[in-house]
Amino acid sequence: MKTRILAPAAALAAAALLLTGCTDNNASADGTIKVNSTSDACEVSTTSAPGGTLNFSVTNGSDKVTEFYLLADDGLRIVGEVENVGPGLSRDLVVIAPEGNYFTACKPGMVGDGIRAAFAVTAAPAGQSVNADRAALQETAVNLYSAYVKDQTQQLVEGTTEFATAFAAGDVKKAKELYPAVRMHWERIEPVAESFGDLDPILDAREADLEKGDEFTGWHRAEKDLWAPKGYTAMTQAQRQKIADKMVANTAELNSRTQELTYTSDKLSNGAKELLDEVATGKVTGEEEAFSHTDLWDFQANVDGARIAYEDLKPLLTENDSELDQALETNFATLQGLLDQYKKGDGFVLYTELSEAQIQELSAAVDALSEPLSKLTAAVVK
């Protein structure tokens, strides 16, 4: 779960007027929309663009790590994002956006709602189209991925129900066994799950990410009770039941919403990159599972999800950029080979059993894969 607390749409619209630091210049000659994220402003080179493929070139002009989002008109749904843009660095966000109203948002320091502004996408230029062969490949890719998401959410519902029953009943042994395995279904589709800004915080918020007044619920609340830290007071049966019931109800809601979701090839490729970003910021650092230390289960699941999206897009990539395809193939295999070293039974060793050198080796492999993965969207939307 990334740190993200999103306000209601009405408040966002008002906030956009107050907080925007955006300027109304034009996109560059090649259509690239330049974004300069500073500590107190989000300078976007234009406030509108024709529908179709949008390329935001995001430069971090502050001394803090930043993120950039294109949000739907409700201010909650994430159309596309780039994370972990270090000071002085630039990253591209390539998305396919139809005509409509959106918000741009920079998030210096990666906290809070971000600095937002309204962004309009106008009608696509006449004659813009994708050739029939590539359109068919894109349709196949998104259909495959849609089926994958539906399968994972269904398994998440079933696993969460089993886990919640054991947790509420105080069956600590069974709940501990189920915890990391069931969470893998969530982690494999994390960008999709996180796109529901109301469900993600109540199901997957870490205690360290909560702000004053936030309620601590969901998976990590149960994790803390199962792997209780020193001085912790265990929940009562009634408290466990309340947490368990909310997990089951909200996971069912997630499953219901994902049945109606549609995807585009850029969402698949950007989602794959987001999953590697999740590994880099939460899993390989050991921050995600602060009590259970089962981070390598999440790590594997994020890599699984990224690889599935890449493989669904592979026919589109092969004909456009075979060199990039080979680089991704090689780097996915290298990272998986490293992870395989830490398998233990049906799972993995605990994060706390890794040496600093082993963590650094995994981190370097994630970085090596992230670099070519960041080019996937531009290659498949050609």
Side-chain angles (χ1 to χ4, degrees):
M1 188 267 177
K2 61 169 63 69
T3 305
R4 176 182 300 144
I5 299 174
L6 298 174
L12 293 176
L17 295 174
L18 293 171
L19 294 175
T20 178
C22 300
T23 58
D24 191 11
N25 301 319
N26 297 319
S28 61
D30 64 357
T32 299
I33 303 166
K34 295 182 178 179
V35 179
N36 184 28
S37 176
T38 66
S39 58
D40 58 2
C42 183
E43 300 168 353
V44 183
S45 61
T46 180
T47 56
S48 67
T53 302
L54 306 182
N55 187 351
F56 293 92
S57 178
V58 182
T59 299
N60 185 357
S62 76
D63 58 357
K64 301 175 181 175
V65 176
T66 194
E67 298 173 339
F68 175 75
Y69 296 85
L70 182 67
L71 302 170
D73 60 352
D74 62 2
L76 295 172
R77 289 174 292 122
I78 299 169
V79 179
E81 63 179 321
V82 287
E83 301 179 277
N84 303 310
V85 185
L89 299 181
S90 296
R91 289 269 302 277
D92 288 345
L93 169 63
V94 182
V95 295
I96 297 175
E99 182 178 4
N101 296 316
Y102 299 80
F103 288 96
T104 55
C106 298
K107 195 181 291 186
M110 301 192 297
V111 296
D113 290 340
I115 304 169
R116 301 184 174 210
F119 188 86
V121 175
T122 57
Q128 179 170 298
S129 63
V130 178
N131 74 55
D133 289 343
R134 288 190 67 76
L137 291 175
Q138 289 177 354
E139 183 177 5
T140 299
V142 298
N143 286 343
L144 287 171
Y145 191 74
S146 176
Y148 174 71
V149 171
K150 290 176 181 176
D151 173 67
Q152 289 300 310
T153 52
Q154 183 58 44
Q155 292 191 60
L156 181 64
V157 169
E158 294 168 4
T160 301
T161 301
E162 188 178 6
F163 169 82
T165 300
F167 177 67
D171 188 344
V172 173
K173 181 180 178 183
K174 185 174 182 180
K176 281 186 171 181
E177 288 175 355
L178 290 170
Y179 178 86
V182 176
R183 277 186 52 74
M184 291 183 79
H185 300 301
W186 171 281
E187 296 288 342
R188 289 191 182 107
I189 58 167
E190 196 164 14
V192 176
E194 287 184 341
S195 69
F196 300 107
D198 55 338
L199 295 178
D200 179 46
I202 56 180
L203 279 170
D204 198 39
R206 296 174 298 194
E207 188 174 32
D209 293 332
L210 299 177
E211 295 185 356
K212 188 175 182 180
D214 291 341
E215 187 180 4
F216 189 21
T217 61
W219 283 102
H220 294 300
R221 183 69 185 92
E223 179 199 6
K224 185 173 183 179
D225 203 60
L226 291 169
W227 286 271
K230 187 177 180 181
Y232 172 82
T233 301
M235 279 193 264
T236 64
Q237 196 281 329
Q239 289 172 320
R240 289 198 302 271
Q241 187 69 58
K242 182 181 178 182
I243 293 294
D245 289 346
K246 287 190 70 170
M247 290 178 69
V248 171
N250 286 300
T251 305
E253 176 63 19
L254 172 69
N255 182 47
S256 175
R257 294 188 194 180
T258 55
Q259 302 305 306
E260 305 302 322
L261 282 181
T262 57
Y263 305 90
T264 55
S265 52
D266 62 309
K267 285 186 177 178
L268 268 63
S269 52
N270 285 328
K273 181 62 174 65
E274 289 171 33
L275 283 164
L276 259 291
D277 288 342
E278 289 285 343
V279 174
T281 57
K283 280 70 175 189
V284 79
T285 59
E287 296 174 40
E288 181 76 10
E289 306 292 352
F291 307 105
S292 66
H293 305 301
T294 54
D295 301 271
L296 291 188
W297 280 258
D298 298 351
F299 192 139
Q300 177 67 70
N302 282 166
V303 173
D304 289 344
R307 181 178 49 76
I308 290 294
Y310 154 64
E311 290 178 349
D312 287 346
L313 293 168
K314 194 176 179 66
L316 284 160
L317 177 62
T318 303
E319 65 177 40
N320 272 0
D321 194 336
S322 58
E323 188 175 336
L324 177 61
D325 181 39
Q326 186 56 56
L328 287 167
E329 190 84 45
T330 300
N331 288 328
F332 265 114
T334 300
L335 181 56
Q336 187 57 59
L338 287 175
L339 266 175
D340 288 345
Q341 296 179 25
Y342 305 113
K343 285 186 174 177
K344 185 177 181 181
D346 294 331
F348 294 88
V349 301
L350 298 180
Y351 183 83
T352 46
E353 296 177 49
L354 298 177
S355 69
E356 189 58 37
Q358 289 169 332
I359 293 169
Q360 290 301 319
E361 186 178 37
L362 285 168
S363 182
V366 170
D367 290 343
L369 176 56
S370 290
E371 194 278 332
L373 204 55
S374 68
K375 302 174 182 175
L376 180 59
T377 301
V380 298
V381 301
K382 285 179 182 176

